[in-house]
Amino acid sequence: MNDRSADYIIRGGLVARGSGITREDIIVKDGKIRANDGRYREADAGRIIDASGVYVLPGIVDAHNHPVYADRIETFSMSAAFGGITTVIPFIANRRREGVEGTVSDMIREFQDEAAATSYLDYAIHAILLGDDDVDEQVPELMDMGVISFKMYMTYPRRGMMMPDERMLRAMELAAADGGIAMVHAENGYCIDYLVDRAIEAGNTGREHYAPSQPRILEIEAANRAATYAQVTGCPLYIVHLSAREMIGVLERFRGGDVRLFAETCPQYLDLTNKAMLDFGALAKIGPPLREREDNEAMWRGLSSHLIDTIASDFCGHKRSQKGSYDFEGEPDGEGSIFDATFGGNWAEQMLCVAYHEGVNKGRITLPRLVQVMCENPAKIFGLYPQKGSLDPGADADIALFDPAARHTLSAEAQHCVADFTMFEGKEVIGQPVLTMQRGEIIVENGVMHRPKGRANYLPGNRDLAAYAPAGYKVL
Ligand SMILES: [Zn+2]
């Protein structure tokens, strides 16, 4: 082979990194991005990809998803690839609540087998530590497997998911000692159960009673508590899916201390409000609940002011029929109790479009900041950078070409997952991914999947690189 032969030259695009936007050609050879030092000649390239008029972005790293329901890793990763995502980090938990024996590490080994056979995208893994997990045994075992991030629920005690505080402290201590990172779903589950009981007793089980049963103070309280535990144990902490505007104050308080505190929000908390719950009932049931317009704006300000570090999808992949499989009989306008409906939504494929349209097109954040929060920072926080999340020489050639002028309407029909509804149905946006490349292979181009499943690599988190300050990380 001629040393001057690139596999691809992506020519004439505007290349967006966290550090800024430049017009340059991107050279791809043997799965990696190569230095554009004049060595690679267009005449010898396998293919020239004309990127004039489009942005060249690092592939999106979606650090929050649950492909364990109707959509498993196969269809979830396919859908994600169409949305410009190239790396996914699913959450895996033990399944004793469903009567399936085995530890979380057993479940992760099973998931790795499934993903090796069926995933379209490279993946790392977060472990969920549930209340019945033996953290002393599991944390070291998981670390040895390259699983370095441990999510704990501060809510859902009656679903058998909540991690008691004293064991959360122990898990944080173990993770901190070994270069790991804790993650929390910050809501006070005891208070939620109390309020839900009172609502049910009063016969208030309609959709309008959902948000009042999960008030913002419970998110704020739990986040303060988790950040306090992080400070006590010295464990880096990542708070998932921020939704309430007061969470910015929590970040401001703890970023002044010794805590390495990272925060995520999601497209639903950036663009949807409780009106979606009132309009669509069970389909819009997520935890934390959709809140108000001022909360959306606070999330954007948190992103632009470098207090919120990432945007992720929290994809759950339920079908309509699974959201309300009680009196609703699959219909969200039925009369079942909202408290019996399933949690979760599915919009990984639409995430970049929503974030770009609402963020960049509307002037709330810059495109380089979008690249920081959707590509660089999730890779940095979870020990995958600079292999992932970067367009610099030596990085994996994981690339999304994005047409900023493409006007289109989001719909469940247009998504490639099994899940058959989205709260962004009918939303008009400008901007669309048009080509997704991973490790130098074109996976999706012009709406067509070009690669077979089962091509993914497992990405062990590098604990020496994890949890270092993300781009733009602000210490107050
Ligand atoms: Zn989640």
Side-chain angles (χ1 to χ4, degrees):
M1 281 291 282
N2 176 342
D3 194 38
R4 294 167 176 271
S5 62
D7 298 327
Y8 295 97
I9 297 178
I10 302 174
R11 184 174 67 192
L14 286 169
V15 177
R17 298 183 175 86
S19 55
I21 300 172
T22 55
R23 187 177 293 283
E24 64 184 279
D25 297 345
I26 293 287
I27 310 293
V28 175
K29 185 176 174 65
D30 297 334
K32 300 281 187 186
I33 292 172
R34 304 293 173 183
N36 188 358
D37 53 9
R39 180 201 311 182
Y40 297 101
R41 298 189 308 211
E42 289 198 1
D44 297 322
R47 179 179 160 192
I48 307 289
I49 298 174
D50 178 13
S52 53
V54 306
Y55 286 119
V56 182
L57 312 176
I60 306 302
V61 178
D62 181 11
H64 188 154
N65 45 76
H66 304 268
V68 294
Y69 302 107
D71 279 287
R72 301 192 64 87
I73 186 68
E74 177 178 347
T75 52
F76 164 66
S77 62
M78 172 186 285
S79 176
F82 279 93
I85 295 168
T86 50
T87 300
V88 295
I89 317 183
F91 286 101
I92 301 296
N94 85 55
R95 296 172 57 205
R96 295 192 191 101
R97 291 168 300 133
E98 304 164 46
V100 177
E101 277 310 306
T103 62
V104 55
S105 50
D106 293 335
M107 296 302 114
I108 287 174
R109 279 184 283 270
E110 276 183 25
F111 178 81
Q112 288 172 314
D113 290 343
E114 179 182 343
T118 65
S119 183
Y120 289 87
L121 296 178
D122 290 356
Y123 63 99
I125 298 174
H126 302 299
I128 293 175
L129 297 175
L130 298 178
D132 62 356
D133 279 310
D134 180 343
V135 298
D136 284 272
E137 176 194 281
Q138 288 296 303
V139 171
E141 182 175 346
L142 290 162
M143 290 286 238
D144 286 345
M145 295 165 66
V147 177
I148 63 170
S149 40
F150 306 93
K151 177 179 172 183
M152 292 171 275
Y153 290 98
M154 302 176 78
T155 185
Y156 306 137
R158 290 181 189 165
R159 298 169 70 195
M161 297 166 77
M162 191 178 82
M163 179 62 83
D165 284 20
E166 71 274 19
R167 312 248 325 289
M168 185 187 307
L169 282 158
R170 176 61 177 153
M172 285 180 167
E173 179 182 28
L174 289 164
D178 222 1
I181 179 166
M183 309 170 74
V184 291
H185 174 144
E187 282 189 291
N188 183 314
Y190 290 124
C191 287
I192 288 177
D193 282 349
Y194 164 81
L195 291 169
V196 167
D197 284 349
R198 294 299 168 272
I200 292 171
E201 283 166 19
N204 295 331
T205 58
R207 59 188 65 176
E208 69 276 24
H209 300 292
Y210 178 64
S213 74
Q214 339 257 317
R216 55 185 62 247
I217 185 67
L218 305 186
E219 181 179 359
I220 302 158
E221 184 279 323
N224 273 298
R225 184 157 36 107
T228 302
Y229 295 170
Q231 182 162 313
V232 167
T233 58
C235 187
L237 175 66
Y238 179 99
I239 305 178
V240 299
H241 52 46
L242 264 63
S243 68
R245 56 186 179 268
E246 295 86 350
M247 294 291 277
I248 301 299
V250 179
L251 297 175
E252 287 173 338
R253 176 175 309 135
F254 283 93
R255 284 263 173 107
D258 301 331
V259 189
R260 276 181 291 169
L261 178 61
F262 312 117
E264 165 198 286
T265 191
C266 311
Q268 55 273 33
Y269 300 117
L270 289 164
D271 193 45
L272 300 176
T273 67
N274 189 49
K275 183 174 185 306
M277 166 56 72
L278 300 179
D279 289 346
F280 301 105
L283 294 186
K285 181 176 173 182
I286 56 176
L290 296 170
R291 301 197 193 272
E292 303 302 332
R293 187 58 68 199
E294 307 91 89
D295 298 293
N296 300 154
E297 294 303 333
M299 294 299 109
W300 284 114
R301 283 197 302 277
L303 288 165
S304 67
S305 66
H306 294 212
L307 284 167
I308 297 177
D309 304 291
T310 66
I311 299 174
S313 74
D314 201 1
F315 178 96
C316 283
H318 294 299
K319 300 187 71 160
R320 295 170 73 93
S321 57
Q322 294 173 303
K323 284 290 278 188
S325 57
Y326 45 105
D327 321 34
F328 288 167
E329 294 180 324
E331 286 307 314
D333 50 356
E335 288 305 312
S337 165
I338 194 64
F339 300 113
D340 292 334
T342 302
F343 289 93
N346 7 265
W347 30 65
E349 188 171 338
Q350 300 168 333
M351 173 168 67
L352 174 58
C353 293
V354 172
Y356 182 87
H357 185 72
E358 291 296 325
V360 179
N361 283 346
K362 298 194 176 176
R364 289 165 163 141
I365 61 172
T366 64
L367 181 58
R369 182 62 183 158
L370 190 79
V371 170
Q372 289 181 350
V373 302
M374 298 188 80
C375 312
E376 296 176 1
N377 288 353
K380 287 183 173 183
I381 292 168
F382 297 110
L384 306 175
Y385 191 88
Q387 180 187 356
K388 300 298 187 187
S390 170
L391 290 175
D392 291 340
D396 282 0
D398 290 6
I399 297 168
L401 298 193
F402 187 83
D403 179 353
R407 186 183 291 266
H408 60 117
T409 302
L410 302 178
S411 70
E413 180 72 24
Q415 293 206 101
H416 295 79
C417 48
V418 172
D420 54 1
F421 71 93
T422 166
M423 285 301 99
F424 295 109
E425 188 73 36
K427 182 178 179 65
E428 290 184 19
V429 295
I430 302 174
Q432 186 168 35
V434 291
L435 185 149
T436 306
M437 175 181 284
Q438 177 157 83
R439 282 182 278 108
E441 295 181 354
I442 293 174
I443 312 176
V444 174
E445 185 173 16
N446 295 323
V448 177
M449 174 60 70
H450 287 280
R451 301 297 302 170
K453 66 184 181 184
R455 55 173 304 287
N457 285 344
Y458 169 60
L459 305 166
N462 183 332
R463 61 182 95 174
D464 295 328
L465 297 179
Y468 75 82
Y473 185 79
K474 187 154 81 181
V475 178
L476 295 172

